[in-house]
Coordinates of all heavy atoms in Angstrom, one line a residue:
A279 N 19.6 45.2 -8.3 CA 18.2 45.5 -8.6 C 17.5 45.8 -7.2 O 16.8 46.8 -7.1 CB 17.5 44.4 -9.3
D280 N 17.7 44.9 -6.3 CA 17.0 45.1 -5.0 C 17.5 46.3 -4.2 O 16.7 46.9 -3.5 CB 17.1 43.8 -4.2 CG 16.3 42.6 -4.8 OD1 15.5 42.9 -5.8 OD2 16.5 41.5 -4.5
S281 N 18.8 46.6 -4.3 CA 19.3 47.8 -3.7 C 18.7 49.0 -4.3 O 18.3 49.9 -3.5 CB 20.8 47.9 -3.9 OG 21.5 46.8 -3.3
I282 N 18.5 49.0 -5.6 CA 17.8 50.2 -6.2 C 16.4 50.2 -5.8 O 15.9 51.3 -5.5 CB 18.0 50.0 -7.8 CG1 19.5 50.2 -8.2 CG2 17.1 51.0 -8.5 CD1 19.8 49.9 -9.6
I283 N 15.7 49.1 -5.8 CA 14.3 49.1 -5.4 C 14.1 49.6 -4.0 O 13.2 50.4 -3.7 CB 13.7 47.7 -5.6 CG1 13.7 47.3 -7.1 CG2 12.2 47.6 -5.1 CD1 13.3 45.8 -7.4
L284 N 14.9 49.0 -3.1 CA 14.7 49.4 -1.6 C 15.2 50.8 -1.4 O 14.4 51.6 -0.8 CB 15.5 48.4 -0.7 CG 15.4 48.7 0.8 CD1 14.0 48.5 1.3 CD2 16.3 47.7 1.5
Y285 N 16.4 51.1 -1.8 CA 17.0 52.4 -1.3 C 16.6 53.6 -2.2 O 16.6 54.7 -1.8 CB 18.5 52.3 -1.2 CG 18.9 51.4 0.0 CD1 19.3 50.1 -0.2 CD2 18.8 51.9 1.3 CE1 19.6 49.3 0.9 CE2 19.2 51.1 2.4 CZ 19.6 49.8 2.2 OH 19.9 49.1 3.3
A286 N 16.5 53.4 -3.5 CA 16.2 54.5 -4.4 C 14.7 54.6 -4.6 O 14.1 55.7 -4.6 CB 16.9 54.4 -5.7
A287 N 14.0 53.5 -4.9 CA 12.6 53.5 -5.2 C 11.7 53.5 -3.9 O 10.6 53.9 -3.9 CB 12.1 52.4 -6.1
G288 N 12.3 53.1 -2.8 CA 11.6 53.1 -1.5 C 10.5 52.1 -1.5 O 9.4 52.3 -1.0
K289 N 10.7 50.9 -2.1 CA 9.7 49.8 -2.0 C 10.3 48.7 -1.2 O 11.5 48.4 -1.3 CB 9.4 49.4 -3.5 CG 8.7 50.4 -4.3 CD 8.5 50.0 -5.7 CE 8.1 51.1 -6.6 NZ 6.7 51.6 -6.4
P290 N 9.5 47.9 -0.5 CA 10.0 46.9 0.4 C 10.4 45.6 -0.2 O 9.6 44.8 -0.6 CB 8.8 46.7 1.4 CG 7.6 47.0 0.5 CD 8.0 48.0 -0.5
I291 N 11.7 45.5 -0.3 CA 12.3 44.2 -0.8 C 13.6 44.1 0.0 O 14.3 45.1 0.1 CB 12.5 44.2 -2.3 CG1 12.7 42.8 -2.8 CG2 13.6 45.1 -2.8 CD1 12.3 42.6 -4.3
F292 N 13.9 42.9 0.4 CA 15.1 42.8 1.3 C 16.4 42.5 0.4 O 16.3 41.7 -0.5 CB 15.0 41.7 2.3 CG 16.0 41.8 3.4 CD1 15.9 42.8 4.4 CD2 17.1 41.0 3.4 CE1 16.8 43.0 5.4 CE2 18.1 41.2 4.4 CZ 18.0 42.2 5.4
V293 N 17.5 43.2 0.7 CA 18.7 43.0 -0.1 C 19.6 41.9 0.5 O 19.9 42.0 1.7 CB 19.5 44.3 -0.2 CG1 20.8 44.1 -0.9 CG2 18.6 45.4 -0.8
I294 N 20.0 41.0 -0.3 CA 20.9 39.9 0.2 C 22.3 40.2 -0.4 O 22.4 40.3 -1.6 CB 20.5 38.5 -0.3 CG1 19.1 38.2 0.2 CG2 21.5 37.5 0.1 CD1 18.9 38.0 1.7
D295 N 23.3 40.4 0.5 CA 24.6 40.7 0.0 C 25.6 39.6 0.6 O 25.1 38.7 1.3 CB 25.1 42.1 0.2 CG 25.1 42.4 1.7 OD1 24.9 41.5 2.5 OD2 25.2 43.6 2.0
A296 N 26.8 39.8 0.3 CA 27.8 38.8 0.7 C 27.9 38.8 2.3 O 28.1 37.7 2.9 CB 29.2 39.1 0.1
Y297 N 27.7 39.9 2.9 CA 27.8 40.0 4.3 C 26.6 39.2 4.9 O 26.8 38.5 5.9 CB 27.6 41.5 4.8 CG 28.8 42.4 4.5 CD1 28.6 43.7 4.2 CD2 30.1 41.9 4.6 CE1 29.7 44.5 4.0 CE2 31.2 42.7 4.3 CZ 31.0 44.0 4.0 OH 32.1 44.9 3.8
T298 N 25.4 39.4 4.3 CA 24.2 38.6 4.8 C 24.5 37.1 4.7 O 24.2 36.4 5.6 CB 23.0 39.0 4.0 OG1 22.9 40.4 3.9 CG2 21.7 38.5 4.6
R299 N 25.0 36.7 3.6 CA 25.3 35.3 3.4 C 26.2 34.8 4.4 O 26.0 33.7 5.0 CB 25.9 35.1 2.0 CG 24.9 35.2 0.8 CD 25.6 35.0 -0.5 NE 24.7 35.2 -1.6 CZ 23.8 34.3 -2.1 NH1 23.8 33.1 -1.5 NH2 23.0 34.6 -3.1
R300 N 27.3 35.5 4.7 CA 28.3 35.1 5.7 C 27.6 35.0 7.1 O 27.8 34.0 7.8 CB 29.4 36.1 5.7 CG 30.5 35.7 6.7 CD 31.4 36.9 7.0 NE 32.2 37.3 5.8 CZ 32.8 38.5 5.7 NH1 32.8 39.3 6.8 NH2 33.5 38.8 4.7
I301 N 26.8 36.0 7.5 CA 26.3 35.9 8.8 C 25.2 34.8 8.9 O 25.2 34.1 9.9 CB 25.6 37.3 9.1 CG1 26.7 38.4 9.2 CG2 24.8 37.3 10.4 CD1 26.2 39.8 9.2
L302 N 24.4 34.6 7.9 CA 23.4 33.6 8.0 C 24.0 32.2 8.1 O 23.6 31.3 8.7 CB 22.4 33.6 6.8 CG 21.6 34.9 6.6 CD1 20.4 34.7 5.7 CD2 21.0 35.4 7.9
N303 N 25.1 32.1 7.3 CA 25.9 30.8 7.3 C 26.4 30.5 8.7 O 26.3 29.4 9.2 CB 26.9 30.9 6.3 CG 27.8 29.6 6.3 OD1 28.9 29.6 6.7 ND2 27.2 28.5 5.8
R304 N 27.1 31.5 9.3 CA 27.7 31.3 10.6 C 26.7 31.2 11.7 O 26.9 30.4 12.7 CB 28.7 32.4 10.9 CG 29.9 32.3 10.0 CD 30.9 33.5 10.3 NE 32.1 33.4 9.5 CZ 32.9 34.4 9.3 NH1 32.7 35.6 9.9 NH2 34.0 34.3 8.6
M305 N 25.6 32.0 11.6 CA 24.7 31.9 12.7 C 23.8 30.7 12.7 O 23.6 30.1 13.8 CB 23.7 33.2 12.7 CG 24.5 34.4 13.0 SD 23.5 35.7 13.7 CE 22.8 35.0 15.2
W306 N 23.4 30.3 11.5 CA 22.4 29.2 11.5 C 22.8 28.1 10.5 O 21.9 27.2 10.2 CB 21.0 29.7 11.1 CG 20.4 30.6 12.2 CD1 20.0 30.3 13.4 CD2 20.2 32.1 12.1 NE1 19.6 31.4 14.1 CE2 19.7 32.5 13.3 CE3 20.4 33.0 11.1 CZ2 19.3 33.8 13.6 CZ3 20.1 34.3 11.3 CH2 19.6 34.7 12.6
G307 N 24.0 28.1 10.0 CA 24.4 27.1 9.1 C 23.7 27.1 7.7 O 23.6 26.1 7.0
I308 N 23.0 28.2 7.4 CA 22.3 28.3 6.1 C 23.4 28.4 5.0 O 24.3 29.2 5.1 CB 21.4 29.6 6.1 CG1 20.3 29.4 7.1 CG2 20.9 29.8 4.7 CD1 19.6 30.7 7.4
P309 N 23.3 27.5 4.0 CA 24.4 27.4 3.0 C 24.7 28.8 2.4 O 23.8 29.5 2.0 CB 23.8 26.5 1.9 CG 22.8 25.7 2.6 CD 22.2 26.6 3.7
Y310 N 26.0 29.1 2.3 CA 26.5 30.4 1.8 C 26.0 30.6 0.4 O 25.7 31.7 0.0 CB 28.0 30.4 1.9 CG 28.6 31.8 1.5 CD1 28.7 32.8 2.4 CD2 28.9 32.0 0.2 CE1 29.2 34.1 2.0 CE2 29.4 33.3 -0.2 CZ 29.5 34.3 0.7 OH 30.0 35.5 0.3
N311 N 26.0 29.5 -0.4 CA 25.7 29.6 -1.8 C 24.2 29.4 -2.1 O 23.8 29.1 -3.3 CB 26.5 28.7 -2.7 CG 28.0 29.2 -2.7 OD1 28.2 30.4 -2.7 ND2 28.9 28.3 -2.6
A312 N 23.3 29.4 -1.1 CA 21.9 29.2 -1.3 C 21.4 30.2 -2.4 O 22.0 31.3 -2.5 CB 21.1 29.4 0.0
E313 N 20.3 29.9 -3.1 CA 19.7 30.7 -4.1 C 19.4 32.1 -3.5 O 18.8 32.2 -2.4 CB 18.4 30.1 -4.6 CG 18.6 29.1 -5.7 CD 19.2 29.7 -6.9 OE1 18.8 30.7 -7.4 OE2 20.2 29.0 -7.4
Y314 N 19.7 33.2 -4.2 CA 19.4 34.5 -3.7 C 18.0 34.7 -3.2 O 17.7 35.2 -2.1 CB 19.8 35.5 -4.8 CG 19.5 37.0 -4.4 CD1 20.6 37.8 -4.1 CD2 18.3 37.5 -4.4 CE1 20.4 39.1 -3.7 CE2 18.1 38.8 -4.0 CZ 19.1 39.6 -3.7 OH 18.9 40.9 -3.3
D315 N 17.0 34.3 -4.1 CA 15.6 34.6 -3.7 C 15.2 33.7 -2.6 O 14.2 34.1 -1.8 CB 14.7 34.4 -5.0 CG 14.9 35.6 -5.9 OD1 15.0 36.7 -5.4 OD2 14.9 35.4 -7.1
D316 N 15.8 32.5 -2.4 CA 15.4 31.7 -1.2 C 15.8 32.4 0.1 O 15.1 32.4 1.1 CB 16.1 30.3 -1.3 CG 15.5 29.4 -2.4 OD1 14.4 29.7 -2.8 OD2 16.2 28.5 -2.8
L317 N 17.0 33.0 0.1 CA 17.5 33.7 1.3 C 16.6 35.0 1.5 O 16.3 35.3 2.6 CB 19.0 34.1 1.1 CG 20.0 33.0 1.0 CD1 21.4 33.5 0.8 CD2 20.0 32.2 2.3
R318 N 16.3 35.7 0.4 CA 15.5 36.9 0.6 C 14.1 36.5 1.2 O 13.6 37.1 2.1 CB 15.3 37.5 -0.8 CG 14.5 38.8 -0.8 CD 14.5 39.5 -2.1 NE 13.9 38.7 -3.2 CZ 12.6 38.6 -3.4 NH1 11.8 39.3 -2.7 NH2 12.1 37.9 -4.4
F319 N 13.6 35.4 0.7 CA 12.3 34.9 1.2 C 12.3 34.6 2.6 O 11.4 34.9 3.4 CB 11.8 33.7 0.3 CG 10.5 33.1 0.8 CD1 9.3 33.8 0.6 CD2 10.5 31.9 1.5 CE1 8.2 33.2 1.1 CE2 9.4 31.3 1.9 CZ 8.2 32.0 1.8
L320 N 13.4 33.9 3.1 CA 13.6 33.5 4.5 C 13.5 34.8 5.4 O 12.8 34.7 6.4 CB 15.0 32.9 4.7 CG 15.2 31.4 4.5 CD1 16.6 31.0 4.9 CD2 14.1 30.6 5.3
V321 N 14.2 35.8 5.0 CA 14.1 37.0 5.8 C 12.8 37.7 5.7 O 12.2 38.1 6.7 CB 15.2 38.0 5.4 CG1 15.2 39.3 6.2 CG2 16.6 37.4 5.4
E322 N 12.3 37.8 4.5 CA 11.0 38.6 4.3 C 9.8 37.9 5.0 O 8.9 38.6 5.4 CB 10.7 38.7 2.8 CG 11.7 39.8 2.2 CD 11.4 40.0 0.7 OE1 10.5 39.3 0.1 OE2 12.0 40.8 0.1
Q323 N 9.8 36.6 5.1 CA 8.7 36.0 5.8 C 8.7 36.2 7.3 O 7.7 35.9 7.9 CB 8.6 34.5 5.4 CG 9.6 33.6 6.0 CD 9.4 32.2 5.8 OE1 8.4 31.8 5.2 NE2 10.3 31.3 6.1
E324 N 9.8 36.6 7.8 CA 9.8 36.8 9.3 C 9.8 38.2 9.7 O 9.5 38.6 10.8 CB 11.1 36.1 9.9 CG 10.9 34.8 10.4 CD 12.1 34.2 11.0 OE1 12.7 34.8 11.9 OE2 12.5 33.1 10.6
I325 N 10.3 39.1 8.9 CA 10.4 40.5 9.2 C 9.3 41.3 8.6 O 9.0 41.1 7.4 CB 11.8 41.1 8.7 CG1 12.9 40.3 9.4 CG2 11.9 42.6 9.0 CD1 13.2 40.7 10.9
R326 N 8.6 42.1 9.4 CA 7.5 42.9 8.9 C 7.9 43.7 7.6 O 8.9 44.3 7.6 CB 7.1 43.9 10.0 CG 5.9 44.8 9.7 CD 5.4 45.5 11.0 NE 6.5 46.0 11.8 CZ 7.0 47.2 11.6 NH1 6.6 48.0 10.7 NH2 8.0 47.6 12.4
K327 N 7.0 43.7 6.6 CA 7.2 44.3 5.3 C 7.2 45.8 5.5 O 6.1 46.4 5.5 CB 6.2 43.8 4.3 CG 6.7 43.6 2.9 CD 5.6 43.1 2.1 CE 6.0 42.9 0.6 NZ 7.1 42.0 0.4
D328 N 8.3 46.4 5.7 CA 8.4 47.8 5.9 C 9.7 48.4 5.4 O 10.8 47.8 5.7 CB 8.3 48.1 7.5 CG 8.4 49.5 7.8 OD1 9.5 50.1 7.9 OD2 7.3 50.1 8.0
V329 N 9.6 49.4 4.6 CA 10.8 49.9 3.9 C 11.9 50.3 4.9 O 13.1 49.9 4.8 CB 10.5 51.1 3.0 CG1 11.7 51.7 2.4 CG2 9.6 50.7 1.9
D330 N 11.6 51.1 5.9 CA 12.6 51.6 6.8 C 13.2 50.4 7.6 O 14.4 50.4 8.0 CB 12.0 52.6 7.8 CG 11.8 54.0 7.1 OD1 12.4 54.2 6.0 OD2 11.0 54.8 7.5
L331 N 12.3 49.5 8.0 CA 12.8 48.3 8.7 C 13.8 47.5 7.9 O 14.8 47.0 8.3 CB 11.6 47.5 9.1 CG 11.8 46.3 10.1 CD1 12.6 46.7 11.3 CD2 10.5 45.6 10.4
Y332 N 13.4 47.2 6.6 CA 14.3 46.5 5.7 C 15.6 47.2 5.5 O 16.7 46.6 5.5 CB 13.6 46.3 4.3 CG 12.6 45.2 4.3 CD1 12.2 44.5 5.4 CD2 12.1 44.8 3.1 CE1 11.3 43.5 5.4 CE2 11.2 43.7 3.0 CZ 10.7 43.1 4.1 OH 9.8 42.1 4.1
K333 N 15.5 48.5 5.4 CA 16.8 49.3 5.2 C 17.6 49.2 6.4 O 18.9 49.0 6.3 CB 16.5 50.8 5.0 CG 15.9 51.2 3.6 CD 15.7 52.7 3.6 CE 15.1 53.2 2.4 NZ 14.8 54.6 2.4
D334 N 17.0 49.3 7.6 CA 17.8 49.3 8.8 C 18.4 47.9 9.1 O 19.5 47.8 9.5 CB 16.9 49.8 10.0 CG 17.8 50.1 11.2 OD1 18.8 50.8 11.0 OD2 17.5 49.7 12.3

Side-chain angles (χ1 to χ4, degrees):
D280 292 347
S281 300
I282 291 171
I283 294 170
L284 179 64
Y285 289 102
K289 295 177 191 285
I291 197 157
F292 196 77
V293 178
I294 301 294
D295 59 12
Y297 291 145
T298 312
R299 288 180 182 275
R300 181 194 293 167
I301 292 165
L302 300 196
N303 176 255
R304 288 176 178 166
M305 289 208 62
W306 294 292
I308 296 169
Y310 184 88
N311 290 324
E313 278 296 315
Y314 181 99
D315 285 321
D316 288 342
L317 293 177
R318 182 171 64 81
F319 176 71
L320 272 184
V321 180
E322 286 182 357
Q323 71 174 352
E324 262 183 55
I325 299 287
R326 180 167 47 87
K327 217 174 177 65
D328 180 275
V329 173
D330 287 339
L331 186 56
Y332 280 8
K333 284 182 185 176
D334 193 47

